[in-house]
């Protein structure tokens, strides 16, 4: 994007195609959350040090950490804070990056792979620290199991655990053989895997609402229902909404899968995809232990990942399944019930109380896309399913970079993020082809 204005062309409006403006989706999280009172839309001509676009993990963490440093921060969110993927996801908070260290070493060498591991582990620690605030009404529960859905993957899981224990000095992960896996996750479809006790899970909407409370307490100004329609670059950035023009020294793009046509280069590198989650009726603590022991979260080895955990009121929250378009299915519960029944046949007829969809951002290499544009615009997105941890840490890293400490930002920005073939206009047919391919690959 050059000096000319970037105008939003609402060809496929992911902010409204599946959702009602200004209203949280019908998720379990939204039904149970301690909601905020709401923030006024921004209006009139406004000046600030930094403007942040996007009220999810990344945007709110950026606002929080900048405000703690004394910056005058304005955050604008097109819908409600936590409206997007940040308030709808599976709530899993995992170590490292989206790729295994083996793959990172092959791509970037051992030294860079260890830097990326350190950033990924710090991301989990930051979530744990922030969740301990009295302003966050959600507990961090330790433990994530990686479950192998193919027997041939088990050997790699054993070797990878040993690698993390020894080469990365990470003693918090251990191997699970098939017997222990079955004793912990009462499903016939898994052959082994690993348990990471420093990773964990959290209610994502309560966490993101807590970040909003913390940001406001530090002096950040938040604005909902304030959709950006145009950005003008220059020595100072001008950010236009329907009711306001914000003049800022710096701009942070924290839109992830909802970037749309707001920034063409980011849109070429970050593709929006949909994912779906259901919440069952509550179970007794005894029933919960018969499904997953120890209240750990689980994510399996499929490319189109199945992921599941229990809520604080003993509901199984089960997510996954592929999507072949940008509109949510008419019957999400029916679509997600199929993999739920395959993994837990004993729950095939379990009552489902909530079913919802959400849009996240992925990259071709499944690693986050960090970029500095025009000198005073930072963008972090494309967390590819790891946004609870990496999205939250990205806000802290953005604040560091704006304050002149860009070491961690530069480590992430040096990861090359390829364009998706055909650009944003081809993303819908590309999405269909990609999900068909991934679904077939998981079945073979």
């Amino acid at each position: 994007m050059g000096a000319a204005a970037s105008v939003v062309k609402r060809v496929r409006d992911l902010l409204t195609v599946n959702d009602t403006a200004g209203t949280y989706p019908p998720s379990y999280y939204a039904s149970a959350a301690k909601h905020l009172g709401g923030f006024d839309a921004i209006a009139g001509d406004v000046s600030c040090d930094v403007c942040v676009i996007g009220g999810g993990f990344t945007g709110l963490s950026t606002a929080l950490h900048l405000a703690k440093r004394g910056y005058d921060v304005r955050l604008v969110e097109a819908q409600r804070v936590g409206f997007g993927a940040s308030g709808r996801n599976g709530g899993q908070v995992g170590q490292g990056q989206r790729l295994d260290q083996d793959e990172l070493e092959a791509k970037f060498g051992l030294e860079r792979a260890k830097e990326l591991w350190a950033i990924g582990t710090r991301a989990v620690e930051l979530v744990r620290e922030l969740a301990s605030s009295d302003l966050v009404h959600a507990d961090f529960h330790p433990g994530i199991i990686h479950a192998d859905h193919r027997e041939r993957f088990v050997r790699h899981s054993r070797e990878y655990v040993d690698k993390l224990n020894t080469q990365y000095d990470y003693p918090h992960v251990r191997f699970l053989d098939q017997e222990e896996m079955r004793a912990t996750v009462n499903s016939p479809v898994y052959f082994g895997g690993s348990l990471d006790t420093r990773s964990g899970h959290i209610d994502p909407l309560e966490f993101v609402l807590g970040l909003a409370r913390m940001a406001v307490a530090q002096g950040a100004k938040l604005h909902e229902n304030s959709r950006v329609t145009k950005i003008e670059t220059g020595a100072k950035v001008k950010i236009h909404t329907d009711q306001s023009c914000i003049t800022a020294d710096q701009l942070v793009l924290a839109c992830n899968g909802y970037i749309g046509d707001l920034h063409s280069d980011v849109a070429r590198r970050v593709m929006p995809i949909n994912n779906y989650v259901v919440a069952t009726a509550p179970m007794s603590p005894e029933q919960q232990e018969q499904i997953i022991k120890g209240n750990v979260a689980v994510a399996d080895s499929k490319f189109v990942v199945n992921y599941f955990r229990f809520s604080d009121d003993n509901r199984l929250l089960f997510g996954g399944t592929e999507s072949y378009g940008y509109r949510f299915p008419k019957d999400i519960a029916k679509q997600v019930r199929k993999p739920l029944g395959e993994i837990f046949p004993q729950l095939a007829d379990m009552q489902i109380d909530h079913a919802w969809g959400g849009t996240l951002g992925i990259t071709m290499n499944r690693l986050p896309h960090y970029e500095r544009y025009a000198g005073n615009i930072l963008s972090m997105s494309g967390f590819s399913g790891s946004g609870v941890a990496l999205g939250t840490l990205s806000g802290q890293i953005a604040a560091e970079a704006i304050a002149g400490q860009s070491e961690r930002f530069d480590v992430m920005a040096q990861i090359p993020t390829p364009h998706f073939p055909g650009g944003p206009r081809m993303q819908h047919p590309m999405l269909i082809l990609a999900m068909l391919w991934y679904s077939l690959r998981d079945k073979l």
Side-chain angles (χ1 to χ4, degrees):
M1 185 171 66
S6 173
V7 181
V8 178
K9 301 173 185 175
R10 300 176 188 179
V11 175
R12 183 187 62 252
D13 188 356
L14 294 178
L15 283 163
T16 58
V17 68
N18 296 300
D19 298 291
T20 302
T23 303
Y24 287 102
S27 70
Y28 161 74
Y29 304 129
S31 73
K34 299 178 179 67
H35 285 283
L36 304 174
F39 300 100
D40 292 337
I42 196 164
D45 292 338
V46 176
S47 296
C48 60
D49 297 331
V50 185
C51 177
V52 180
I53 304 176
F57 296 130
T58 305
L60 289 166
S61 178
T62 301
L64 165 63
H65 288 98
L66 283 170
K68 288 175 71 173
R69 290 174 175 266
Y71 285 86
D72 178 15
V73 185
R74 296 271 186 166
L75 181 147
V76 289
E77 161 59 44
Q79 295 269 23
R80 304 291 307 278
V81 295
F83 164 88
S86 295
R88 311 186 192 200
N89 65 81
Q92 301 203 8
V93 191
Q95 298 284 342
Q97 303 287 335
R98 189 68 174 80
L99 298 183
D100 283 353
Q101 293 305 115
D102 294 328
E103 296 175 85
L104 294 177
E105 289 175 14
K107 287 177 177 289
F108 308 118
L110 180 61
E111 181 178 355
R112 178 53 51 85
K114 288 194 170 185
E115 290 177 335
L116 293 171
W117 172 259
I119 287 172
T121 55
R122 176 60 191 143
V124 175
E125 293 304 314
L126 180 61
V127 172
R128 294 172 73 110
E129 292 166 11
L130 294 172
S132 68
S133 168
D134 291 340
L135 297 176
V136 177
H137 303 151
D139 294 326
F140 181 96
H141 302 285
I144 292 182
I145 284 177
H146 171 82
D148 291 326
H149 80 290
R150 291 285 183 262
E151 189 171 10
R152 65 180 183 272
F153 296 166
V154 175
R155 178 179 177 181
H156 175 264
S157 288
R158 187 191 297 271
E159 293 173 348
Y160 190 61
V161 165
D162 182 65
K163 181 187 188 75
L164 293 181
N165 292 164
T166 56
Q167 297 181 31
Y168 283 83
D169 191 25
Y170 188 73
H172 310 292
V173 61
R174 65 183 182 85
F175 174 71
L176 302 178
D177 62 18
Q178 187 172 14
E179 181 179 357
E180 189 172 8
M181 176 66 76
R182 182 64 185 268
T184 308
V185 181
N186 189 11
S187 169
V189 304
Y190 297 126
F191 295 89
S194 60
L195 169 62
D196 184 340
T197 57
R198 290 299 289 174
S199 297
H201 57 100
I202 194 169
D203 182 311
L205 181 57
E206 286 288 16
F207 180 57
V208 80
L209 294 176
L211 291 180
R213 294 186 190 97
M214 296 172 74
V216 170
Q218 292 294 331
K221 300 176 182 68
L222 311 184
H223 302 277
E224 297 178 316
N225 300 306
S226 300
R227 181 168 184 156
V228 174
T229 57
K230 184 172 69 173
I231 297 170
E232 295 181 78
T233 60
K236 289 184 179 290
V237 189
K238 291 186 181 296
I239 302 98
H240 297 267
T241 73
D242 289 339
Q243 303 179 55
S244 176
C245 177
I246 309 159
T247 301
D249 296 325
Q250 305 261 5
L251 171 63
V252 175
L253 297 172
C255 308
N256 206 33
Y258 292 93
I259 190 70
D261 291 326
L262 190 59
H263 194 289
S264 59
D265 188 70
V266 177
R268 282 193 290 267
R269 302 171 194 271
V270 178
M271 177 189 288
I273 66 167
N274 294 336
N275 208 250
Y276 307 100
V277 187
V278 299
T280 69
M283 304 182 197
S284 69
E286 294 75 22
Q287 288 173 316
Q288 175 177 331
E289 281 291 296
Q290 290 172 6
I291 301 299
I292 305 172
K293 282 188 169 56
N295 193 29
V296 298
V298 183
D300 67 22
S301 57
K302 288 189 173 183
F303 195 94
V304 183
V305 179
N306 293 306
Y307 52 92
F308 40 94
R309 66 184 185 89
F310 277 95
S311 66
D312 290 343
D313 62 352
N314 307 108
R315 300 172 186 271
L316 181 65
L317 306 177
F318 186 98
T321 195
E322 60 267 20
S323 173
Y324 299 99
Y326 286 110
R327 289 193 178 276
F328 295 167
K330 291 182 178 179
D331 191 342
I332 293 174
K334 179 180 179 181
Q335 184 157 329
V336 180
R337 188 183 288 279
K338 181 180 178 182
L340 169 61
E342 291 171 351
I343 292 173
F344 295 112
Q346 65 272 43
L347 300 180
D349 298 320
M350 183 71 183
Q351 177 180 322
I352 292 176
D353 285 350
H354 303 271
W356 66 97
T359 302
L360 63 148
I362 65 169
T363 60
M364 283 192 69
N365 60 11
R366 293 192 291 164
L367 295 170
H369 172 54
Y370 274 53
E371 193 74 60
R372 188 189 296 270
Y373 295 98
N376 57 356
I377 299 176
L378 299 182
S379 176
M380 301 88 63
S381 59
F383 301 108
S384 303
S386 298
V388 185
L390 290 175
T392 302
L393 182 69
S394 292
Q396 186 183 67
I397 291 175
E400 291 174 356
I402 287 171
Q405 301 164 320
S406 61
E407 291 85 355
R408 292 198 295 178
F409 187 93
D410 291 342
V411 168
M412 297 300 293
Q414 288 167 12
I415 299 172
T417 308
H419 290 168
F420 281 95
R425 299 291 175 181
M426 287 295 293
Q427 281 186 345
H428 184 247
M430 283 291 298
L431 172 65
I432 294 173
L433 289 172
M435 298 313 292
L436 283 167
W437 163 244
Y438 294 142
S439 177
L440 178 61
R441 198 176 86 166
D442 283 335
K443 290 177 173 65
L444 292 177

